[in-house]
Amino acid sequence: MGHAEESTLDFVPRLSFLPIEWRNLGAAFGLKDRSGPAASGRCSFVVRQGVDTAELSTTGRVVEGLADIGVAFKHSMLAIGLTSGNVSFRSGLDDPAAAVAQRIGNASVPSLKLTAAKQFKGENYVAVSYDLKQQKPELSACWTGEAYTDRATLLVRVDPVMRAVKLNAAVSTPGPEWRKVLYDDETDRLEYPADDGARHTLYVEHEARRRNLLHSTRIGCRLDLGRLVNYAVDVFDYHIEERIPDFIWNVPLLGQLYNVLVPPEDEEQVRHRISGWELDISHDFSRRGLKPTLALSKTLSNLGTLSATYDVATDEAGVSLSRRGLTLGARLGRLEGAGWKKPALHLVVEPLSLLMA
C-alpha cells in the first residue's frame, strides 16, 4: 500500500504544501507501475490555555484536534480517491472572536471530496472532484518532475462556484553552490562531487478570487545552511579576498583566522562539513506588515529532526522533535498585558508513516 512518504507530488520533508486530496493522489500514483490501494492521513492535537483577548484573561484548558484522511485506488493511469479534510473538534472555553474567525476561514471548512484523476504522458495529471459536504465541484491540473538535481511540483485548481483559482507550487534545488565536475591536474583524474541530498526549497500558496487577484498568498523558503555557508565562503575566496589591500593582512592573527573561516576545498570540493541544518522562513501576506515565521532545524541521524520556531505575528516560540511520522512539541507565547501564557503542547501523527517506519 502506498503512503505519504512515497508521494510523487508532495516531496518536501515535514512540509505538506498540497491539499489532502492531492496528497492522497500522490500516494496512489506513487505506486508507479503497480495498481492497488493507497492511503494518506495526518492528525494534529493541541492542548493549550484558552484566552479572552477582550478581557485580557485566561479561560482554562482548551483541547483542539484536526485531521485529514484519504483513501485511493489506482488502476493503470487512473486513480479515484475519497478524502475527508479539516475534521476538527474543540473542547473548553476560548476567545469567541478568534473561534468565529477560524470557522469562517475557507481552509478550516470541513470537506468530503470524491476525486478522479488521470495521468498523462510523463508526470502530468488532471483531476475533477466534487465536495459532497460543501456541494461544489473543482477542476485541477498538476505538473511534476525532476531534472538532474532539481525537482518541482505545480498544482492549479479552479473553483467555479467561488470563481477562484488556487495555486500550490514548490521547487527544490541544490542552488548555485552545486559542485561541478572538475579535472585535477595533479592526479590526472576527473572529480565527481558526491550528492549529499541537501536542497534549498521554495514553496508558494496563492489564491485569486473573483476580482481580487491577491486574495491570499503565502510564500516560504527552506535553506540548507551547510550549502549556504560553503557558497558564501566560495564567493569570499574567489571574488573578495583578492580585493583586500595587502596591509590589512598585517593585522596579527588575521591570516590564521582567515584559514579557519576559509579553508581549502577537500576532494569533494567542500570547505565546511555542515549537514542537517536548515532555516525555514515563511510569510502569510494576510498579516499586516512583515511578520514571518522562522524555524531552525537540525536533522539527527538516529533521533529525528529537532526544530526551534518563532512566529513574529503571534509572538510565540516553540520547540519540536519529528521522527518517522510523529512530531511532539511545545509552544510558549505572551498575552498582551497579562504576561506569559502556559505552554501549549502539540502532537502531529501521520499514522501510515508511523506504522511503516
Side-chain angles (χ1 to χ4, degrees):
M1 176 177 286
H3 56 93
E5 291 184 343
E6 294 177 347
S7 174
T8 61
L9 306 176
D10 201 14
F11 58 85
V12 184
R14 307 182 312 279
L15 173 67
S16 293
F17 62 95
L18 297 178
I20 176 60
E21 62 269 20
W22 275 97
R23 297 204 304 268
N24 193 43
L25 293 174
F29 287 113
L31 297 175
K32 301 299 182 182
D33 297 330
R34 295 178 292 130
S35 297
S40 62
R42 173 173 297 174
C43 306
S44 62
F45 306 92
V46 177
V47 180
R48 62 178 178 81
Q49 185 179 39
V51 296
D52 188 337
T53 56
E55 300 293 336
L56 295 179
S57 61
T58 59
T59 58
R61 187 174 60 182
V62 175
V63 180
E64 298 175 325
L66 183 66
D68 295 324
I69 55 176
V71 294
F73 184 85
K74 174 181 175 289
H75 177 70
S76 185
M77 308 292 280
L78 297 173
I80 297 178
L82 180 65
T83 56
S84 180
N86 296 312
V87 180
S88 61
F89 72 91
R90 173 182 293 186
S91 65
L93 299 175
D94 200 9
D95 184 1
V100 171
Q102 184 179 19
R103 283 196 297 270
I104 64 177
N106 184 62
S108 61
V109 177
S111 67
L112 180 62
K113 279 189 177 181
L114 180 63
T115 306
K118 164 73 173 177
Q119 180 180 3
F120 290 93
K121 185 178 181 180
E123 293 184 286
N124 304 315
Y125 310 87
V126 295
V128 58
S129 62
Y130 185 78
D131 195 316
L132 302 175
K133 186 173 182 61
Q134 301 181 29
Q135 298 184 350
K136 63 178 184 179
E138 187 175 78
L139 304 175
S140 51
C142 184
W143 300 266
T144 186
E146 297 183 54
Y148 187 38
T149 57
D150 299 334
R151 186 172 182 181
T153 292
L154 172 64
L155 171 64
V156 178
R157 295 175 291 154
V158 178
D159 185 343
V161 175
M162 300 298 295
R163 290 186 290 172
V165 177
K166 305 173 186 178
L167 182 145
N168 300 74
V171 59
S172 179
T173 176
E177 64 272 29
W178 178 248
R179 306 305 178 201
K180 300 178 181 179
V181 177
L182 299 178
Y183 175 73
D184 191 334
D185 295 330
E186 296 181 359
T187 62
D188 193 29
R189 298 176 59 184
L190 291 175
E191 293 182 349
Y192 293 91
D195 187 0
D196 58 1
R199 297 291 186 270
H200 303 307
T201 302
L202 175 67
Y203 52 93
V204 179
E205 299 176 21
H206 178 72
E207 179 180 350
R209 182 178 297 182
R210 295 186 174 89
R211 296 182 179 180
N212 185 2
L213 300 181
L214 301 175
H215 177 74
S216 65
T217 302
R218 178 173 176 263
I219 186 171
C221 64
R222 178 178 294 177
L223 304 174
D224 184 86
L225 296 183
R227 288 197 179 278
L228 200 61
V229 168
N230 277 280
Y231 180 64
V233 172
D234 281 347
V235 171
F236 190 90
D237 187 25
Y238 296 143
H239 303 287
I240 299 178
E241 188 269 341
E242 60 185 12
R243 301 180 181 180
I244 298 178
D246 293 338
F247 70 88
I248 296 294
W249 299 108
N250 295 327
V251 176
L253 301 180
L254 184 58
Q256 292 85 338
L257 178 62
Y258 177 84
N259 292 331
V260 172
L261 298 179
V262 189
E265 294 180 341
D266 60 15
E267 65 279 0
E268 294 183 359
Q269 305 170 42
V270 176
R271 299 176 187 269
H272 293 282
R273 292 284 179 175
I274 303 174
S275 62
W277 285 95
E278 293 178 322
L279 176 63
D280 197 305
I281 306 172
S282 63
H283 178 61
D284 189 336
F285 285 86
S286 63
R287 298 175 170 181
R288 293 184 177 180
L290 184 60
K291 297 181 179 180
T293 300
L294 310 174
L296 179 65
S297 62
K298 167 63 177 175
T299 299
L300 307 171
S301 57
N302 296 324
L303 296 179
T305 300
L306 182 64
S307 302
T309 62
Y310 179 68
D311 191 329
V312 178
T314 60
D315 200 18
E316 287 186 344
V319 294
S320 64
L321 178 64
S322 303
R323 186 173 187 268
R324 296 180 181 178
L326 181 65
T327 301
L328 178 64
R331 288 193 295 265
L332 183 65
R334 294 178 62 89
L335 181 61
E336 185 176 356
W340 292 95
K341 296 184 291 185
K342 293 182 179 179
L345 304 179
H346 61 95
L347 173 68
V348 180
V349 181
E350 296 181 5
L352 292 174
S353 299
L354 185 61
L355 293 175
M356 297 182 180

